[in-house]
Amino acid sequence: MKTEHLHRCEFVSVDFRDVASVKLSYKKLMRACVPGVLSNVPEHSFNKLVDESGWLTQIQSILQYAGACVDLLDTQGASVILALEDGWDITSQIISVAELLLDPYYRTFEGFHTLIEKEWLSFGHRFSHRSYQTVNNQSSGFAPVFLQFLDVVHQIHTQFPMSFEFNQFYLKFLAYHHLSSRFRTFMLDCECDRLEAGWLLDDRPRIGMAAAEFTANMGNSLWDYVDLHRAKSSVFHNFFYLNEELQENVLRPHSNMANLEVWDYYLEENLAHGPPYDLELVNKETQQHSSEMAFGDDNLEHSGRVTINNCYDNVGLKMPHAFSSYLQEISGIEQELNQFPAKWSDVVDRLQQPQKDIFRRQYSLSTRYSRSHGRNVHKRSTIEFLVKGKMLPQATKMFSQPHSFEKYYYNTPQSCDYCSHILWGFMKTGLKCSGCGYNCHEKCMSHVPKNCTSNRLKGEAGGSDGTNNASGTESTNSALSPSDEEKAIVDASSSKSEQRSKTFEGYLYKQGALLKGWKARWFVLDFMKHQLRYYDEKDDTHCRGFIELAEVVHVSSTKPVPGAPKKADETAFFEMRTVKRPYVFLAETAEIAHKWVDTIQNRITS
């Protein structure tokens, strides 16, 4: 796409998780919610495992992206085009959540049905492929993309319980039956496959197929099943729901991690009757269990008390519900009066709704402040998202430089720069970047960020016009010799505060540990951090090590040390003793060595 022809369009890059990351995150979440073995180790606690899974982080990202679309459409009045991956995974998630937040119609039964049909089924989400339904798709594994969308809706439902016509049980019902293969609604991958199967026709069998065979192969629609049970009972209805005239048109949920919670759908155990989402079986087993309990205990009728177990019974079905109890009581009174029982929905519709103007005047100051604060936080999140998206291509260009790893044999203990574990021994080799000196295990190589700075820094240094620091001279010096200018370079990736803290730097030979020779390192004396850091090369940003100036006991010139580099100036050696060990350094000239000694001495005595 050529952006130069689109003058009034802004392209914002989005960093999102692919399907493989969603699969892995869901597996880790299931290990936390349904552990095979209980462990008392703090590292294996429930909260720790949920945090390591990254599931809530993905939920947070979807809420943030959908919230940004809402702000752009509602506040800015802009049009938004979303083009991510192939269009049937993360795209369907973000668009569906954005429409749910913008339009109260999609928070009703009819609207939510329309939303799923439009953005998921008709848009081409591959339910059979993602939901592990056929033998051909079993090799790809289960990808909980639609389940993640329902989890996001649950998070919004929790923050705005009066804005949805359906309740939380309805979301769990959809989460269960989109994988149960009981209904034809969430089967096959696209409209073309459903049309070939005859599922999109209005009860008309295909040519050459008998009516009985067509009915048997067609299966039931989940939406017809829901409408049937909605007419019978209030199992899916949210009694706290306010009609569209009384509620806010646009919802702006909080996406902070503190406002998110693990969906109890992943944590429920229903050992008494199994999952409560096959309503006929649950009602039959519940009636049978109640009759057995009443027959075995004569006092049950008089007391009305039942003991339930959180790990065995379904607490949501066993706990008494005020609205359901009132509806049953009204139905019983009508039967006693020999009247035909009215539908529960008619009884609810006859309830007097508060007036719109009266309802709005009941807002308290704290409620108005909370909503105003929520809108401000939402706008700030959107601005941060847009700024991050605009800077992402530049950051990718700057930091997406792959490392040039080569096998390296470490004779002395060396830490992996990724996992911080030891690299040591002739058998346990590691990898070292030939450009920037990054060290890592072979198993860590695939996880190492592509931020090699060797080529980037050389390119930036060649075109920069900054002031170069000579080897072993202070940063305030301006007169430099040509030979020194060739050796010196400014660390282009350092921040301004770090540049101000570099007050003395240059190349020094440092005597290594036992059985190691002398190596030239680039040393930086940092006045701000009170450290003497050293790097492999002067253009490196990764520090090989540092010496705390607070631990330095004494620094002075010393005699030549055996094993020093050839043609070395005998008066250019100096020693620095710390509380842990002594360090011996070799400068290029005696004058530079004296400058190092004086500067370090001034810093440790000041």
Side-chain angles (χ1 to χ4, degrees):
M1 183 179 294
K2 296 181 179 180
T3 60
E4 58 269 13
H5 301 302
L6 304 174
H7 302 292
R8 302 185 63 182
C9 294
E10 291 288 340
F11 291 86
V12 180
S13 300
V14 176
D15 186 13
F16 59 92
R17 303 294 180 92
D18 56 0
V19 178
S21 301
V22 176
K23 292 180 182 179
L24 181 60
S25 178
Y26 181 73
K27 289 181 180 179
K28 293 181 179 179
L29 178 69
M30 287 298 100
R31 293 193 190 104
C33 297
V34 192
V37 180
L38 295 178
S39 175
N40 296 326
V41 182
E43 288 77 8
H44 296 164
S45 62
F46 174 76
N47 294 331
K48 183 71 173 178
L49 293 177
V50 170
D51 181 60
E52 291 177 351
S53 68
W55 181 261
L56 292 181
T57 304
Q58 297 181 12
I59 298 293
Q60 181 187 38
S61 299
I62 297 174
L63 283 173
Q64 290 176 345
Y65 297 155
C69 295
V70 168
D71 282 341
L72 290 173
L73 291 168
D74 180 57
T75 306
Q76 302 295 331
S79 299
V80 179
I81 298 178
L82 200 64
L84 302 174
E85 273 194 339
D86 297 321
W88 53 59
D89 289 327
I90 184 67
T91 306
S92 297
Q93 288 178 333
I94 296 176
I95 290 179
S96 301
V97 175
E99 293 180 6
L100 192 76
L101 298 175
L102 284 168
D103 195 345
Y105 169 72
Y106 292 118
R107 301 169 217 150
T108 63
F109 281 102
E110 182 183 358
F112 199 65
H113 170 197
T114 305
L115 180 67
I116 295 177
E117 286 280 355
K118 177 169 64 78
E119 299 298 343
W120 292 88
L121 297 172
S122 299
F123 205 72
H125 180 70
R126 304 176 63 185
F127 278 98
S128 293
H129 181 72
R130 296 300 188 209
S131 302
Y132 201 67
Q133 291 177 350
T134 62
V135 178
N136 296 331
N137 298 327
Q138 288 183 358
S139 59
S140 61
F142 171 59
V145 179
F146 185 72
L147 180 63
Q148 196 173 52
F149 160 70
L150 294 177
D151 197 342
V152 175
V153 178
H154 150 259
Q155 304 290 344
I156 303 172
H157 195 294
T158 304
Q159 298 185 31
F160 301 94
M162 293 188 294
S163 299
F164 291 84
E165 188 180 7
F166 48 85
N167 55 16
Q168 294 274 359
F169 183 80
Y170 182 66
L171 297 176
K172 298 177 185 178
F173 178 84
L174 294 178
Y176 179 81
H177 281 296
H178 94 280
L179 297 173
S180 66
S181 299
R182 179 181 175 182
F183 304 99
R184 70 174 187 267
T185 305
F186 296 108
M187 299 182 67
L188 301 184
D189 288 337
C190 60
E191 296 285 79
C192 181
D193 295 344
R194 298 183 186 96
L195 183 63
E196 292 179 356
W199 293 353
L200 298 182
L201 303 177
D202 298 332
D203 296 333
R204 291 174 294 179
R206 290 179 295 175
I207 299 176
M209 179 182 291
E213 181 184 358
F214 172 75
T215 304
N217 293 335
M218 187 174 181
N220 297 323
S221 170
L222 182 137
W223 312 122
D224 295 339
Y225 182 84
V226 170
D227 293 339
L228 179 64
H229 279 273
R230 281 185 59 209
K232 293 180 179 179
S233 66
S234 58
V235 63
F236 299 129
H237 187 73
N238 178 22
F239 289 98
F240 298 100
Y241 172 69
L242 297 174
N243 56 36
E244 299 179 10
E245 296 180 356
L246 298 178
Q247 62 173 283
E248 293 186 8
N249 292 330
V250 180
L251 302 182
R252 288 180 168 85
H254 295 285
S255 59
N256 298 328
M257 197 63 66
N259 299 107
L260 305 180
E261 61 180 22
V262 179
W263 194 9
D264 56 355
Y265 175 74
Y266 310 127
L267 304 171
E268 288 180 344
E269 288 186 329
N270 304 283
L271 303 179
H273 305 288
Y277 310 111
D278 289 322
L279 302 180
E280 298 86 358
L281 296 177
V282 172
N283 294 334
K284 184 177 180 180
E285 291 182 2
T286 303
Q287 293 175 2
Q288 181 180 358
H289 182 71
S290 300
S291 61
E292 291 176 357
M293 293 291 294
F295 180 78
D297 191 354
D298 297 334
N299 298 325
L300 183 63
E301 272 186 38
H302 304 288
S303 64
R305 299 175 64 87
V306 178
T307 302
I308 61 176
N309 192 313
N310 190 28
C311 297
Y312 183 75
D313 299 293
N314 190 315
V315 180
L317 296 178
K318 293 288 185 179
M319 290 289 290
H321 194 276
F323 294 101
S324 300
S325 300
Y326 288 143
L327 290 174
Q328 292 178 2
E329 185 177 351
I330 293 173
S331 178
I333 293 174
E334 290 175 343
Q335 291 179 1
E336 291 178 1
L337 298 175
N338 295 326
Q339 297 181 3
F340 185 78
K343 293 183 178 180
W344 70 270
S345 56
D346 296 337
V347 176
V348 174
D349 292 339
R350 287 199 299 266
L351 295 177
Q352 183 179 2
Q353 296 285 345
Q355 297 295 328
K356 185 176 181 180
D357 52 350
I358 297 176
F359 185 81
R360 287 190 174 178
R361 279 202 298 266
Q362 292 178 351
Y363 287 152
S364 63
L365 179 62
S366 60
T367 301
R368 293 196 297 268
Y369 173 77
S370 177
R371 292 185 177 182
S372 176
H373 177 70
R375 286 193 293 268
N376 293 333
V377 172
H378 207 270
K379 291 179 182 179
R380 184 175 62 184
S381 176
T382 301
I383 294 174
E384 292 177 355
F385 161 74
L386 295 176
V387 172
K388 180 181 177 181
K390 295 294 290 183
M391 295 180 62
L392 187 60
Q394 302 176 4
T396 304
K397 184 178 179 181
M398 290 178 60
F399 296 104
S400 60
Q401 300 290 339
H403 294 274
S404 301
F405 283 116
E406 298 177 355
K407 274 198 171 183
Y408 193 82
Y409 295 88
Y410 297 92
N411 299 328
T412 57
Q414 177 68 36
S415 298
C416 174
D417 294 324
Y418 179 78
C419 65
S420 301
H421 290 173
I422 295 297
L423 289 167
W424 181 61
F426 294 99
M427 300 301 295
K428 295 182 69 174
T429 59
L431 299 176
K432 185 173 184 177
C433 178
S434 59
C436 63
Y438 195 98
N439 303 296
C440 70
H441 295 93
E442 292 186 9
K443 63 180 181 180
C444 300
M445 182 179 65
S446 59
H447 305 289
V448 171
K450 297 179 181 180
N451 57 356
C452 183
T453 57
S454 58
N455 297 328
R456 177 171 58 85
L457 288 177
K458 290 178 182 178
E460 292 178 356
S464 63
D465 57 353
T467 304
N468 294 333
N469 292 335
S471 175
T473 60
E474 296 184 5
S475 58
T476 55
N477 292 346
S478 58
L480 304 176
S481 62
S483 61
D484 289 337
E485 290 183 359
E486 294 176 358
K487 297 180 181 178
I489 186 171
V490 174
D491 188 357
S493 66
S494 301
S495 62
K496 293 182 179 180
S497 60
E498 187 177 357
Q499 288 290 344
R500 286 194 299 266
S501 66
K502 291 181 179 180
T503 58
F504 203 79
E505 51 190 287
Y507 273 111
L508 292 174
Y509 280 93
K510 172 179 169 293
Q511 186 181 22
L514 186 63
L515 301 179
K516 293 189 67 175
W518 292 73
K519 288 187 177 180
R521 307 287 191 190
W522 178 261
F523 282 82
V524 176
L525 184 60
D526 194 332
F527 282 12
M528 301 295 294
K529 296 183 179 180
H530 264 44
Q531 289 179 348
L532 178 63
R533 300 193 301 272
Y534 55 94
Y535 304 79
D536 283 336
E537 298 293 339
K538 56 189 174 182
D539 56 349
D540 284 349
T541 59
H542 183 71
C543 177
R544 286 296 303 268
F546 61 90
I547 303 172
E548 294 286 351
L549 295 183
E551 299 178 355
V552 177
V553 179
H554 178 70
V555 57
S556 62
S557 301
T558 185
K559 297 180 180 179
V561 179
K566 297 180 179 179
K567 300 181 180 180
D569 189 350
E570 295 182 357
T571 60
F573 290 87
F574 66 96
E575 181 185 37
M576 184 171 63
R577 290 186 175 273
T578 65
V579 294
K580 297 179 180 179
R581 53 162 291 191
Y583 294 87
V584 181
F585 302 94
L586 172 62
E588 185 177 359
T589 62
E591 182 182 0
I592 296 176
H594 290 313
K595 287 185 177 181
W596 276 104
V597 172
D598 295 337
T599 307
I600 297 175
Q601 188 68 36
N602 293 334
R603 298 313 304 172
I604 63 177
T605 56
S606 60

